């Protein structure tokens, strides 16, 4: 048999194994991330009700919405290091059960201090979830497939944005049922569902390809070898390698750009119900339904944007183009006075904000593996989580100063400008990183379309 025939057979085996992994892993990974996003953002739907029922001010809501990200960020790296030791299946299941329980307990909030406490504990419970999911991608999937796979994972929060609003709004219509407020029913029911998803993770999510009963030994071996690619684990301890994990210019620049993305992303997501309500939309269910338009835009973004950039080899420029598109859309939003046009522009802006994420994480994961991947991905997400705190807080300050929820889009404009300014810095950092350690071809140059390659 010729070398070409052997390679073709190996490629076919790898593609078949990858398809199996996508079909078996991603539904479970998406389910847990879907509920994480629901439990993280359902508080936005309760904003007006919390003000009426427990006297929570706009500024207190902004602080409480963002304080979630402080504890999340503080524990992100320790959590992911524990995940590396015990394995993602056990740790992701633990995370889901813990935060689902705390999400249900949000029903007992009585005022601003209990609100701050519960949001802080909720962030602590969820710490490590997202980098654990990204770490699993580095273990299971070759770099060639990662943009597509990450895009699939991001379907979870984008779909949550679409259905989470109407679903949460419908639960809030249970107001006064058994003496509970509608927002109490929402927190309770969605928290219980999350606990059940955590149980599902425990039984259905294998940690590494070799643990999967639905893979042959040959399929597991080729998934493992190609996931490693040209980057082999060279560090087994974090001590003495802190510079490698956290101090590389590439890691720092990527973290800063992710910070700006999350300022925009979380700021919009946590405030869109208030923006919609300010546009004279009334009723919890209808507000949730209209707010779901942002999720439609985000879903289009994570599916379409990676495809559009499969041919575009300049990774940093791709991120800069999307930041510029976000800037243009946000300026148009602020200049418009038509309610329908404004809602459409929010949805369009989410195409670019969320569409950046699969490309962004592919750029990062292409240049890390093993323990350094676990640590560096957690560090990048930690910086992003700080952005998740800053975004809602700045949106809250802007609204308090102007009495207009839409004023938060000035924050989006500023973050987009800074993102554009960092684009050449990212390009230089990528060039320097690749010169130091050769990597496979950039994912954005050849990420296969999911309908044809998986």
């Amino acid at each position: 048999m010729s070398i070409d025939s052997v390679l073709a057979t190996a490629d076919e085996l790898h593609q078949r194994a990858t398809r199996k992994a996508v079909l078996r892993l991603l539904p479970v990974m998406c389910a847990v991330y879907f509920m994480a996003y629901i439990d993280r953002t359902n508080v936005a739907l309760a904003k007006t009700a919390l003000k009426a029922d427990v006297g929570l001010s706009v500024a207190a809501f902004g602080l409480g919405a963002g304080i979630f990200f402080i504890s999340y960020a503080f524990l992100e790296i320790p959590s992911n290091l524990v995940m590396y030791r015990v394995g993602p299946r056990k740790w992701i299941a633990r995370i889901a059960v813990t935060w689902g329980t705390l999400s249900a307990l949000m029903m007992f909030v009585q005022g601003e201090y209990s609100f701050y406490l519960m949001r802080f504990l909720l962030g602590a419970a969820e710490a490590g979830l997202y980098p654990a999911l990204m770490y699993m991608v580095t273990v299971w999937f070759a770099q060639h497939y990662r943009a597509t796979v990450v895009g699939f994972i991001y379907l979870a929060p984008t779909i949550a944005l679409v259905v989470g609003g109407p679903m949460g709004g419908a639960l809030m219509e249970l107001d006064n049922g058994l003496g509970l407020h509608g927002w109490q029913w929402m927190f309770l029911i969605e928290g219980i569902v999350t606990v059940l998803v955590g149980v599902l993770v425990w039984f259905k999510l294998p940690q590494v390809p070799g643990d999967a009963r639905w893979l042959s030994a040959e399929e597991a071996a080729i998934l493992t070898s190609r996931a490693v690619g040209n980057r082999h684990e060279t560090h087994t301890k974090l001590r003495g390698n802190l510079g490698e994990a956290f101090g590389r210019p590439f890691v720092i620049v990527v973290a800063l750009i992710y910070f700006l993305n999350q300022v925009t992303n979380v700021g919009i997501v946590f405030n869109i119900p208030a923006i919609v309500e300010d546009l004279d939309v009334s009723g919890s269910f209808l507000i949730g339904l209209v707010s779901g338009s942002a999720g439609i835009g985000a879903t289009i973004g994570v599916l379409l944007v990676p495809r559009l950039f499969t041919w575009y080899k300049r990774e940093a420029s791709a991120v800069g183009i999307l930041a510029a598109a976000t800037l243009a859309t946000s300026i148009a939003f602020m200049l418009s006075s038509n309610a329908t046009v404004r809602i459409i522009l929010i949805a369009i802006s989410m195409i670019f904000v969320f569409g950046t994420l699969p490309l962004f994480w592919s750029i990062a994961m292409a240049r890390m593996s093993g323990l350094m991947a676990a640590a560096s991905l957690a560090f990048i997400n930690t910086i992003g989580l700080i952005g998740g705190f800053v975004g809602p807080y700045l949106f809250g300050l802007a609204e308090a100063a102007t009495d207009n929820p839409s004023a938060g889009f000035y924050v989006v404009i500023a973050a987009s400008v800074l993102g554009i300014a960092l684009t050449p810095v990212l390009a230089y950092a990528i060039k320097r990183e690749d010169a130091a350690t050769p990597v496979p071809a950039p994912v954005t140059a050849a990420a296969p379309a999911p309908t044809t390659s998986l």
Side-chain angles (χ1 to χ4, degrees):
M1 183 179 292
S2 67
I3 293 178
D4 289 342
S5 298
V6 172
L7 291 175
T9 301
D11 288 342
E12 182 179 347
L13 176 66
H14 181 243
Q15 189 175 53
R16 183 171 68 247
T18 299
R19 188 180 295 111
K20 284 185 179 182
V22 166
L23 293 175
R24 296 282 190 144
L25 294 181
L26 291 194
V28 180
M29 295 170 71
C30 286
V32 71
Y33 197 31
F34 174 86
M35 289 312 303
Y37 216 78
I38 291 290
D39 290 341
R40 182 187 303 181
T41 60
N42 57 11
V43 69
L45 286 169
K47 180 179 180 180
T48 301
L50 286 169
K51 181 179 180 180
D53 295 334
V54 302
L56 202 66
S57 68
V58 170
F61 174 84
L63 178 58
I67 208 169
F68 165 95
F69 295 94
I70 296 298
S71 54
Y72 196 149
F74 183 74
L75 293 173
E76 186 81 331
I77 293 173
S79 177
N80 222 41
L81 293 177
V82 173
M83 178 279 301
Y84 181 77
R85 299 301 180 189
V86 305
R89 178 180 66 88
K90 294 178 181 178
W91 201 241
I92 292 172
R94 192 282 305 163
I95 289 172
V97 170
T98 306
W99 107 66
T101 302
L102 286 167
S103 183
L105 293 176
M106 281 284 293
M107 67 182 291
F108 296 112
V109 165
Q110 297 295 316
E112 62 181 67
Y113 293 111
S114 58
F115 181 65
Y116 296 155
L117 175 63
M118 292 307 300
R119 291 292 295 175
F120 183 87
L121 293 176
L122 192 63
E126 193 180 323
L129 174 66
Y130 184 74
L133 294 175
M134 292 299 99
Y135 176 77
M136 284 199 68
V137 174
T138 69
V139 170
W140 282 81
F141 298 101
Q143 179 63 18
H144 184 67
Y145 290 105
R146 287 177 186 169
T148 300
V149 171
V150 174
F152 277 135
I153 292 173
Y154 268 111
L155 282 177
T158 63
I159 293 174
L161 283 173
V162 175
V163 306
M167 181 173 67
L171 291 174
M172 288 184 65
E173 297 289 347
L174 297 173
D175 198 39
N176 292 323
L178 299 179
L180 298 177
H181 295 296
W183 56 270
Q184 291 177 305
W185 278 114
M186 179 182 67
F187 287 135
L188 175 62
I189 293 173
E190 291 179 350
I192 290 172
V193 172
T194 300
V195 171
L196 295 177
V197 170
V199 175
L200 176 69
V201 169
W202 180 270
F203 289 104
K204 294 294 184 180
L205 193 68
Q207 299 198 142
V208 295
D211 292 341
R213 297 179 180 179
W214 35 266
L215 288 174
S216 68
E218 293 79 8
E219 289 170 336
I222 199 167
L223 280 179
T224 301
S225 64
R226 295 204 176 182
V228 173
N230 292 346
R231 285 185 173 265
H232 298 279
E233 178 61 34
T234 57
H235 303 292
T236 58
K237 293 183 179 180
L238 188 59
R239 181 180 299 177
N241 296 300
L242 295 178
E244 175 72 14
F246 310 132
R248 286 180 290 161
F250 168 74
V251 172
I252 293 172
V253 174
V254 167
L256 289 174
I257 292 176
Y258 190 51
F259 169 87
L260 295 171
N261 177 275
Q262 292 302 285
V263 166
T264 295
N265 187 326
V266 180
I268 293 175
V269 168
F270 273 69
N271 287 274
I272 188 171
I275 294 173
V276 169
E277 187 175 8
D278 190 60
L279 296 176
D280 295 327
V281 178
S282 59
S284 296
F285 178 74
L286 187 57
I287 290 171
L289 187 64
V290 175
S291 298
S293 61
I296 295 174
T299 301
I300 293 172
V302 298
L303 291 177
L304 181 62
V305 171
R307 286 181 177 234
L308 291 178
F309 285 101
T310 54
W311 53 270
Y312 195 70
K313 298 181 180 181
R314 299 176 65 182
E315 299 169 295
S317 296
V319 174
I321 289 169
L322 292 168
T326 304
L327 173 63
T329 308
S330 301
I331 292 174
F333 173 87
M334 295 305 296
L335 294 177
S336 174
S337 59
N338 182 279
T340 302
V341 171
R342 280 193 148 198
I343 290 170
I344 292 172
L345 286 170
I346 291 174
I348 293 174
S349 70
M350 296 301 272
I351 293 177
F352 308 125
V353 172
F354 269 83
T356 302
L357 295 171
L359 304 181
F360 171 88
W361 285 107
S362 296
I363 291 170
M365 288 187 293
R367 296 160 176 90
M368 21 183 108
S369 64
L371 177 60
M372 291 301 103
S376 297
L377 291 173
F379 172 75
I380 292 169
N381 204 49
T382 296
I383 302 303
L385 289 168
I386 296 173
F389 166 77
V390 171
Y393 186 61
L394 292 180
F395 267 65
L397 290 179
E399 180 180 353
T402 62
D403 198 29
N404 179 8
S406 297
F409 265 81
Y410 287 118
V411 178
V412 177
I413 290 171
S416 299
V417 169
L418 291 173
I420 295 169
L422 281 174
T423 298
V425 183
L426 175 63
Y428 175 77
I430 290 174
K431 182 178 180 180
R432 179 175 173 178
E433 181 76 10
D434 291 352
T437 309
V439 297
V443 14
T444 51
T451 55
T452 58
S453 298
L454 296 181

